[in-house]
Structures are given as C-alpha cells and as structure tokens.
Amino acid sequence: MTQESPAVEAPAAEIAQSAAQPASLTDHDHHAGFVAIIGRPNVGKSTLLNALLGQKIAITASKPQTTRNRLLGILTLPQAQIVFVDTPGIHRPRHKLGEYMVDQAVMALPDADVILWLVDISEPPFAEDEQIASLLIQKAEARPVVIGCNKIDLVDKATLQKRQAMFTALIKPALMLELAAATGQGVDNLAASLQPLLPLSPAYYPADQVTDVQERFIAAELVREAVIHHLREEVPHAVAVVVEEFKTRGPDMTYISATVYVERESQKAIVLGQGGRMLKQIGQQARVGIEEMLETKVYLELWVKVVPHWRRDLAYLRRFGYAADR
Ligand SMILES: Nc1nc2c(ncn2[C@@H]2O[C@H](COP(=O)(O)OP(=O)(O)OP(=O)(O)O)[C@@H](O)[C@H]2O)c(=O)[nH]1
Ligand SMILES: [Mg+2]
C-alpha cells in the first residue's frame, strides 16, 4: 500500500515523517503493512482485533452486523508493524447504512498488503462466504489471502479438517491458520505468520499509537455495544450513538453526554424501559467500559431521540459518521 493512500488515516505530519525516513541499515529486516480482516458478520473479526492488541478498541457482540466502520488496530512488534483493519461484516445490504458498511469492507481490499479472510470454522461456509470468496478472487489481485479459521474451541479435529477443505475449495489461500480469538489461542502465531508476508518497510505509525480513532468514537461505540447487549434483534440495528460532550473535569473525572438515536417511538420506549430502568442499565455497562479505557471516573449522561428512517437518510448517516466522507 502506498503512503499517500486515503486509508492510511495517520495525520499528515506522521505520514510526512515516515516518508522522510528512508529504510536505514537497521531497518533492513523490518516489515510493515496493512492486513484487512474481512469476513461475514459475527465470525469474530473485532474480537480478534482486540485480542491481537491486548486491549479493547472494537466493540463485539453475539449478534451480527455489530461493526459499522473501518477501524485500525496497530500492532508494533520488535521487527514489524502490522496495521490490522477491522471491517464490517460483508452481507446483503438492505438500506444505505448497510451499503456503507459493506463498502467499508470492500474498500479496505485495495489498500491492504495482505487479506485475512476470517471464517467461523464451527459452521460450514454460508452463501455469504461463497460471495466473499468470489469477491476476493476478483479483488485480491496479487495480495496474499490468508484464511483464519476462528472458533476452533467449538469443533473437534475431524470437523475442523472437513470444514477447512470446504473453505479451501472456495479459494486457495497463501496460508491457513487455526485460532480462537475469544480465548487467545493461536493469536500470537497469527501475528508471527503474517509478519513475513508484509513488505520490507519502516513503521507507518509511532510505536505507541494503537488505533486511528479517538476515545470519543470508542465511547460512543461502547454505548452502542451496551444497547446491543441489553436489547433484542431489531432495536440495536436501528440505534446510532452520538457523543455530544466529552469533557475532562479534574484529573480523575470525565463528563460525557451522549444521545442514543432510534427510528421509532416504540423503540425509544424499549431503550428507556419502565421508569427509565433499561437506559440506566445500558448507561452503567457503558460507563464501566469507558472508565476502563480512560482510566478516570466517568459521569455519563444518556438521552434518547427518535429520527424516523435515519438508516436511509444521507444527512443523518453523515451526522452519525456513516458516510464515505467520514
Ligand atoms: N466460541 C468462540 N466465540 C468467539 C470466538 N471469537 C469470537 N467469538 C464470538 O463471536 C461473536 C461475534 O464476535 P465479533 O468479534 O463481534 O464478530 P465480528 O466478525 O466482528 O462481527 P461483525 O462486526 O458483526 O461483522 C461474539 O459473541 C464473540 O464472543 C472464538 O474464538 N470462539
Ligand atoms: Mg465486528
């Protein structure tokens, strides 16, 4: 990937700095590059990103279509910098939000040095997996495709091998690896195996930078994650969260005010719950996660508002960060 690519979301100064640093003699065996994590919804892409980094930057859930934006996870090792790109699950979109999500995933392909196709090996390939394989055959070009067989904790050896044959029948990978992102099994091995597939290059990002998004974005995501965990089926899909205020109040207190947007009055009533009890529980869960991230106490204020059909409304998609010009 070139350093001018728009998917390298480092501030211009950082790009200029790394461009100005030619690979020195000590860099001759340093690898750096971008690994796009692609897959259908719910296979464990975001869980893997967090496991690789040893910290939570991406929200996860047992329900599909959790991730909505591309998100970088920067893993700096002694001899490599692997920039992982978490992407929304590839699915058949039903509205503009879904189209944006799938676009985010597809757009990560040309910018990647390596494509990590993550599959859920506890299930046979879905129709979506077949579509992804065709997409990769079209778009991967010379990039190595690595198949990551996730959730090996859920299958026996014989099933694992049978399923691996089913996936490799769809596309011939450069490498196939087994892992369980949720337990950490095989995660270090995955990073070590990807390293030599990346180009020789100096690092793209400072060694202490872990992601390209701000704490404010992750805070909004943690509220959305709490909504997904507490509410069933359709409601989470209709939710967007905007952090309105994010203020440091003293050395050990952050004040955050956020709005939870839904599409219908009936959904607002569900998010609020009897006497506001559901919103309180959502707020409590989100607050704990945000406090862990910020390492301060957090005062979190949540509001709920209705915007009919926002998932089909470009102006609101833009406002919520779900438009191409994010
Ligand atoms: N048993 C098991 N569950 C896992 C593993 N990895 C992830 N999961 C679970 O799978 C579910 C989906 O995980 P996510 O990381 O949100 O999946 P995703 O691919 O990012 O999903 P989308 O963002 O919707 O595309 C969660 O309930 C995870 O805990 C694993 O190795 N083993
Ligand atoms: Mg995800």
Side-chain angles (χ1 to χ4, degrees):
M1 127 171 248
T2 60
Q3 289 176 340
E4 290 76 24
S5 162
V8 183
E9 288 172 288
E14 278 163 29
I15 295 173
Q17 185 193 29
S18 49
Q21 285 172 349
S24 68
L25 285 178
T26 53
D27 284 336
H28 72 278
D29 56 355
H30 188 279
H31 295 255
F34 289 72
V35 175
I37 310 176
I38 299 288
R40 69 171 170 79
N42 218 38
V43 295
K45 298 178 295 299
S46 303
T47 307
L48 174 61
L49 190 81
N50 293 336
L52 283 158
L53 299 175
Q55 62 178 280
K56 178 159 179 158
I57 56 168
I59 61 165
T60 65
S62 58
K63 293 159 199 163
Q65 295 174 34
T66 300
T67 303
R68 290 176 176 169
N69 300 101
R70 249 181 310 167
L71 179 71
L72 300 189
I74 305 159
L75 180 64
T76 302
L77 301 167
Q79 286 303 321
Q81 186 173 71
I82 313 180
V83 184
F84 290 96
V85 188
D86 185 19
T87 64
I90 293 180
H91 64 285
R92 193 180 293 276
R94 286 184 300 171
H95 38 62
K96 281 202 179 76
L97 171 63
E99 285 166 18
Y100 168 79
M101 288 161 63
V102 175
D103 281 353
Q104 288 280 295
V106 175
M107 278 162 47
L109 296 175
D111 292 332
D113 295 294
V114 174
I115 295 162
L116 174 60
W117 179 24
L118 200 67
V119 303
D120 178 348
I121 208 73
S122 74
E123 310 249 28
F126 286 17
E128 285 158 336
D129 289 303
E130 289 173 20
Q131 286 155 13
I132 291 167
S134 312
L135 179 77
L136 295 183
I137 288 165
Q138 278 174 42
K139 303 247 172 176
E141 295 174 1
R143 293 171 194 88
V145 174
V146 174
I147 300 185
C149 302
N150 192 31
K151 309 198 186 182
I152 53 165
D153 54 312
L154 301 178
V155 286
D156 58 40
K157 195 97 194 148
T159 313
L160 176 68
Q161 287 172 351
K162 194 176 78 191
R163 300 263 164 81
Q164 285 178 327
M166 293 167 92
F167 281 104
T168 49
L170 297 177
I171 192 167
K172 196 171 152 14
L175 210 62
M176 188 158 69
L177 299 164
E178 298 163 11
L179 70 147
T183 68
Q185 192 187 345
V187 170
D188 288 346
N189 178 51
L190 172 77
S193 308
L194 290 170
Q195 189 172 321
L197 299 179
L198 296 175
L200 287 170
S201 161
Y204 285 89
Y205 295 93
D208 59 356
Q209 188 174 345
V210 175
T211 185
D212 63 328
V213 290
Q214 296 184 345
E215 286 166 339
R216 193 183 175 109
F217 169 85
I218 302 176
E221 286 288 89
L222 288 167
V223 174
R224 196 163 63 81
E225 184 182 54
V227 171
I228 300 172
H229 285 187
H230 279 88
L231 301 176
R232 283 188 296 148
E233 294 312 317
E234 275 313 301
V235 183
H237 290 301
V239 164
V241 177
V242 174
V243 167
E244 315 283 358
E245 275 187 85
F246 189 109
K247 283 188 186 144
T248 306
R249 284 196 179 157
D252 190 38
M253 172 60 82
T254 310
Y255 168 79
I256 297 173
S257 159
T259 306
V260 177
Y261 285 91
V262 290
E263 290 190 322
R264 290 202 294 266
E265 287 296 337
S266 59
Q267 293 165 340
K268 178 176 174 176
I270 294 170
V271 173
L272 284 170
Q274 283 263 313
R277 273 194 287 267
M278 179 55 79
L279 190 64
K280 197 165 173 199
Q281 283 179 36
I282 289 167
Q284 275 165 358
Q285 181 185 323
R287 182 177 51 75
V288 171
I290 300 169
E291 285 180 341
E292 237 165 69
M293 168 177 71
L294 299 177
E295 295 177 338
T296 70
K297 293 221 175 325
V298 167
Y299 186 88
L300 176 63
E301 212 162 29
L302 293 181
W303 307 88
V304 187
K305 285 189 189 156
V306 179
V307 175
H309 308 297
W310 67 259
R311 284 178 289 178
R312 299 173 195 278
D313 184 328
L314 202 54
Y316 274 101
L317 289 168
R318 283 219 176 88
R319 169 154 159 58
F320 298 161
Y322 304 132
D325 53 357
R326 177 167 78 108

